[in-house]
Amino acid sequence: MDRRAAQALDSEDPLSGYRTQFTDDDGGPIYLDGNSLGRPARAMVESVNAALHDWSANLVGGWSRWIDLPGAVGDRVGRLIGAGPGQVVVCDSTTVNLYKLASAALTGRPGRPVILGDADDFPTDRYVLQGLAQAVGRQLRLLPASTGEGLTTEDLAAAIDSDTALVCLSHVNYRSGALLDLASITEAAHRHGALILWDLCHSAGAVPIDLDASGVDLAVGCTYKYLNGGPGAPAFLYVRRDLQARLRQPIWGWFGQRDQFGMGPAYDPDRGIRRFLAGTPPILGLVAVDTALSVLETVGIPALWSKSQQLTALLSDLVRRRLEPLGATLATPRDPARRGAHVSVAHPLAWPWCQALIDRELVIGDFRPPDVIRLGPAPIYTRFVDVYDAVERMEGVLAAGVEEDPRPHSVLDALLGRDAPVVGVLDLAHLGCGVG
Ligand SMILES: Cc1ncc(COP(=O)(O)O)c(C=O)c1O
């Protein structure tokens, strides 16, 4: 594969026309961080502006249109993740939604002492489960994978038993990009009467998901990665219809109340998905997500996934042929059927290598400790030639020699660049943990 072959793939790409809805081809950076924060669609500027004008013109009267947005936008997210209407709402952050649903699941499985998770899962997932297990007196069991390629259905099937109340897993691992078999793991949990909660942050909007057909109980995910909803855009949660009236979430807020404006003395939750809301939804973020979804809906998941698989196949192949001889290793499953939509590369000097790529080569991926650079070529706006050029620049930097970089390993610090003032580094490092 040479550069001309990559350009040929772009010229045959049925999705190539969508790129201009996100970016000018202006010689800007090669953006391979769509798995951390997607690009904004141009249409969002107009729709968010219109929402601001609506607010300005109608003031509090706008709420008659805004109040149902969590459910309306939720139904649209549902279409991308195989969920029928009335089972998804867009609200709060992934962290908060994970807490709400994990906690609700435990109330639905009293007397079962064990919560099962992935030892290599995203920090917030592990921390939320740790806190919850401690608070309600259950035991958290975090499973290590039996191979270097992430947890398998067999690993999980062997660990789930009649003591398991809840299995909580990420569909695609944030660091390695390993893709779990959502349907067969869901079935394994159900065989033993456990509930399952999937974190779809790294799959929603890129990887095919069929929550209803797979019989999934609960799911959460963010809207700022492949769904392109913007920094801090609200997350989504899914609760299968037949479970909704039976599960109770722990945040008894007025947006979950059956008669919200009755202002009654006691909490009496809505019977449906609204009971999983808590407080006032972030309307500007919801409007942004709604617009971002319109663009994705016109393309559809099958086309996005097909291009994503081609992009990750090209990327993995280039990593193996051009970076592995220089001491890097592909840190994503080699079997394409076990990969999500991003590819990771390990190298002992991954941190300074990643910084050099951002600072000098305008290749934006991100670093994840201890030694991984993640590359997320979001299919709707990434070209094959971007993938080719990025690996060529990565090769150039490695071949020229990478030196240790004393800067703290934080995403935000990296993006601020070499001259970022030292004051505030601790704060930024802390914030960086939440990005991606
Ligand atoms: C897999 C996964 N789960 C949860 C989160 C946390 O999401 P939030 O910070 O929106 O709560 C992230 C953030 O990137 C993530 O990658």
Side-chain angles (χ1 to χ4, degrees):
M1 165 69 70
D2 58 14
R3 193 168 196 277
R4 283 233 304 274
Q7 283 170 319
L9 286 175
D10 284 320
S11 64
E12 291 156 15
D13 171 18
L15 271 55
S16 60
Y18 289 98
R19 179 175 164 86
T20 55
Q21 295 194 28
F22 292 86
T23 177
D24 296 320
D25 286 324
D26 58 359
I30 299 177
Y31 191 65
L32 298 181
D33 218 0
N35 57 321
S36 180
L37 178 65
R39 282 182 181 273
R42 290 179 200 285
M44 289 164 79
V45 176
E46 240 167 73
S47 64
V48 174
N49 246 328
L52 287 170
H53 283 298
D54 187 10
W55 170 25
S56 173
N58 299 301
L59 302 170
V60 74
W63 274 111
S64 58
R65 285 179 299 289
W66 301 330
I67 200 153
D68 291 327
L69 278 180
V73 181
D75 283 348
R76 290 188 89 173
V77 172
R79 290 202 279 276
L80 297 177
I81 56 175
Q87 299 177 103
V88 180
V89 277
V90 175
C91 58
D92 303 316
S93 64
T94 307
T95 304
V96 171
N97 287 336
L98 193 86
Y99 171 72
K100 291 191 296 191
L101 295 196
S103 173
L106 294 183
T107 61
R109 288 294 180 275
R112 287 177 172 238
V114 176
I115 306 170
L116 206 59
D118 177 352
D120 195 32
D121 209 343
F122 188 74
T124 218
D125 301 62
R126 291 180 282 109
Y127 303 159
V128 163
L129 297 180
Q130 278 166 20
L132 197 55
Q134 190 177 324
V136 300
R138 311 258 182 132
Q139 180 193 327
L140 175 61
R141 208 171 141 212
L142 293 177
L143 280 188
S146 61
T147 71
E149 306 233 314
L151 286 174
T152 62
T153 304
E154 292 70 38
D155 292 334
L156 284 148
I160 304 167
D161 60 24
S162 57
D163 279 345
T164 313
L166 172 66
V167 181
C168 180
L169 298 166
S170 284
H171 188 201
V172 171
N173 183 271
Y174 80 104
R175 184 170 26 220
S176 68
L179 171 70
L180 301 192
D181 186 337
L182 181 138
S184 70
I185 295 170
T186 298
E187 202 187 308
H190 288 170
R191 254 196 317 272
H192 296 281
L195 289 169
I196 191 147
L197 166 52
W198 286 100
D199 181 335
L200 306 177
C201 278
H202 286 275
S203 53
V207 179
I209 303 168
D210 205 338
L211 294 181
D212 287 347
S214 308
V216 166
D217 302 306
L218 308 160
V220 296
C222 69
T223 62
Y224 50 73
K225 300 182 190 294
Y226 299 109
L227 297 180
N228 305 315
F236 63 87
L237 65 82
Y238 163 90
V239 181
R240 205 181 61 226
R241 188 181 308 283
D242 61 290
L243 288 174
Q244 291 171 5
R246 286 192 270 149
L247 297 183
R248 267 216 175 182
Q249 62 120 334
I251 306 175
W252 291 13
W254 72 312
F255 267 74
Q257 177 76 343
R258 183 161 23 171
D259 178 12
Q260 183 181 1
F261 291 96
M263 309 281 173
Y267 182 64
D268 173 25
D270 184 79
R271 297 296 175 262
I273 192 70
R274 273 192 53 237
R275 68 167 45 197
F276 297 93
L277 297 176
T280 304
I283 296 305
L284 296 178
L286 274 160
V287 168
V289 175
D290 198 34
T291 310
L293 292 174
S294 307
V295 184
L296 291 179
E297 271 174 6
T298 56
V299 184
I301 296 295
L304 289 165
W305 179 231
S306 158
K307 180 171 174 191
S308 171
Q309 287 177 301
Q310 282 182 280
L311 287 164
T312 51
L314 172 63
L315 187 46
S316 309
D317 188 49
L318 289 169
V319 167
R320 282 210 299 260
R321 287 194 298 112
R322 301 191 49 177
L323 304 182
E324 289 200 329
L326 297 173
T329 37
L330 185 68
T332 295
R334 282 167 199 252
D335 174 1
R338 298 220 53 212
R339 284 203 289 259
H342 69 268
V343 167
S344 298
V345 186
H347 188 279
L349 293 174
W351 166 250
W353 186 22
C354 186
Q355 295 327 113
L357 288 165
I358 294 169
D359 293 348
R360 303 204 306 262
E361 302 293 338
L362 298 181
V363 173
I364 302 185
D366 60 25
F367 169 78
R368 285 295 174 268
D371 61 355
V372 159
I373 297 180
R374 297 189 310 182
L375 304 165
I380 195 154
Y381 49 71
T382 308
R383 297 170 300 192
F384 292 94
V385 77
D386 294 329
V387 164
Y388 183 87
D389 289 346
V391 175
E392 192 154 82
R393 293 184 205 179
M394 292 175 85
E395 181 185 29
V397 172
L398 265 195
V402 178
E403 284 172 14
E404 283 287 359
D405 183 331
R407 281 180 293 173
H409 294 187
S410 127
V411 181
L412 290 189
D413 190 48
L415 291 175
L416 287 174
R418 203 168 273 281
D419 300 327
V422 171
V423 55
V425 160
L426 278 180
D427 272 1
L428 292 172
H430 172 70
L431 283 173
C433 296
V435 184

